[in-house]
Amino acid sequence: MKLHEYQAKSIFSRYGILVPNSTVAYTSEEARDIADKMGGRAAVKAQVHAGGRGKAGGVKIGHTPTEVATIAESLIGTNLVTHQTGTDGAPINCVLVEEATSIKQEMYFSIVIDGATKSAIAIASLSGGMDIEEVAATEPEKILRVSIDPGVGFSSFQGRSLGYQLGLSDANIKAFSKIASNCYKVFIDNDCSLIEINPLAITGDDTLTALDAKIEIEEDSLFR
């Protein structure tokens, strides 16, 4: 079962993973009010179960509350067509209005089930904001992988090692390791089959923030 971005970010927040301030809007008027409270400038993000939203026009920046409302009105009630949806697209029933964030660097981080080892694997790359499948096909050397022993879990050493290989500063290596460890807690506690942050960004104030969030839950566990 796929969760929307706003749902995934709500879970992230409960586990101490930093996400931007954001609120869901179901109408353009709600979007305007939310943006006004944020100071006017905000990102408007279509909430659909598909990747590639940015390239398809599903993520836009509004510089005033009125502009945010106009963008929201143009998205809500329409279908967004991306490379993952097919020609019919996916319906947009709501948008996430999110504070605009200055970005110094983007990264990719995910935890998925590795079919070969039948256990979880952490994946990290400096190619944040890009389609990870495309990166894997064209520049596989840019993708880092770490197998997670189910009996031990994700260790702080593994997080620090990934952060070091990504070339992060000492402070951000520590922050990255904590985020990765907390993601694994989310993964286990919620019976996930996938957790993805793309991008995980170093913002203007030098903090690591999950600018996007994707969670898929194993359907066999939904009875919980």
Side-chain angles (χ1 to χ4, degrees):
M1 181 181 73
K2 296 181 179 180
L3 302 186
H4 282 300
E5 176 188 3
Y6 74 90
Q7 296 168 320
K9 283 182 172 176
S10 176
I11 293 174
F12 277 4
S13 293
R14 297 203 301 267
Y15 283 78
I17 299 168
L18 185 63
V19 299
N21 179 34
S22 61
T23 304
V24 177
Y26 292 88
T27 67
S28 59
E29 291 79 11
E30 289 179 353
R32 179 188 292 108
D33 292 343
I34 295 166
D36 187 50
K37 293 176 182 177
M38 291 181 177
R41 187 170 182 267
V44 184
K45 310 172 79 174
Q47 296 300 283
V48 296
H49 296 308
R53 293 176 303 167
K55 293 180 181 179
V59 178
K60 298 179 180 179
I61 300 292
H63 298 277
T64 66
T66 298
E67 190 174 340
V68 167
T70 300
I71 294 170
E73 185 173 16
S74 71
L75 292 173
I76 297 172
T78 66
N79 282 15
L80 185 68
V81 179
T82 79
H83 68 283
Q84 292 187 0
T85 64
T87 56
D88 291 337
I92 304 173
N93 298 315
C94 60
V95 295
L96 189 65
V97 181
E98 185 170 271
E99 62 180 348
T101 305
S102 61
I103 301 171
K104 293 170 60 176
Q105 184 177 353
E106 294 184 343
M107 294 169 283
Y108 173 94
F109 181 76
S110 69
I111 298 177
V112 299
I113 296 296
D114 179 22
T117 63
K118 304 297 190 295
S119 61
I121 183 172
I123 301 173
S125 174
L126 284 177
S127 299
M130 297 180 62
D131 189 323
I132 198 64
E133 289 81 9
E134 179 181 340
V135 177
T138 59
E139 299 177 289
E141 71 280 359
K142 291 187 176 182
I143 298 179
L144 307 173
R145 295 178 175 85
V146 172
S147 294
I148 304 173
D149 187 325
V152 177
F154 188 87
S155 70
S156 57
F157 168 77
Q158 288 176 310
R160 291 194 301 271
S161 177
L162 281 174
Y164 177 79
Q165 293 178 74
L166 289 170
L168 304 181
S169 66
D170 290 345
N172 281 330
I173 286 175
K174 183 177 180 180
F176 176 86
S177 180
K178 183 177 180 181
I179 288 173
S181 178
N182 288 344
C183 280
Y184 186 68
K185 292 177 184 176
V186 173
F187 192 87
I188 295 301
D189 291 353
N190 297 276
D191 299 311
C192 298
S193 56
L194 167 70
I195 285 180
E196 182 180 86
I197 306 176
N198 187 24
L200 172 62
I202 301 176
T203 60
D205 58 359
D206 208 38
T207 59
L208 263 70
T209 304
L211 295 191
D212 199 1
K214 184 177 181 180
I215 291 179
E216 294 183 11
I217 296 174
E218 174 55 51
E219 292 185 359
D220 289 339
S221 72
L222 293 181
F223 70 92
R224 297 181 193 274

